Amino acid sequence: MVALLWLATIASALAVVQTTQRSRELTAQLVQAQKTRDELRYEQERLLLEKGAWSAYSRIEKVAREELNMHVPAPDERVLVTTE
């Protein structure tokens, strides 16, 4: 009977050690996943700000005028297209 209790105690101790180790591994994975999440969230915010800057109306107008040589058409350059 004592031997059986001794074996049960050893098995229980080994189970506690295994559970503690697994808990530490999972905690480390959770911390890494949270760090990755935070980095991706920061990058997303940065990209949204950059998108806003690149799509600003004033910048689009500047590119159209300077790089594409576009201009607002004069009244005599406008053509009315009708649908029939």
Side-chain angles (χ1 to χ4, degrees), residues 16-34:
V16 168
V17 169
Q18 181 183 12
T19 303
T20 302
Q21 180 62 25
R22 182 69 177 144
S23 175
R24 287 181 182 156
E25 290 171 358
L26 291 174
T27 301
Q29 288 178 3
L30 175 64
V31 168
Q32 183 61 36
Q34 289 172 336

Side-chain angles (χ1 to χ4, degrees), residues 37-49:
R37 179 205 58 203
D38 293 341
E39 290 171 356
L40 289 172
R41 186 176 290 160
Y42 171 77
E43 173 124 7
Q44 179 188 25
E45 291 173 5
R46 186 185 63 76
L47 289 173
L48 287 172
L49 286 173

Side-chain angles (χ1 to χ4, degrees), residues 3-4 9 14 22-25 28 31 42 49 54 57 59 63 72 77-79 82 84:
L4 183 61
T9 303
L14 290 175
R22 182 69 177 144
S23 175
R24 287 181 182 156
E25 290 171 358
V31 168
Y42 171 77
L49 286 173
W54 282 94
Y57 181 76
R59 184 184 183 295
V63 169
V72 177
E77 295 176 319
R78 295 179 189 164
V79 177
T82 60
E84 294 182 34

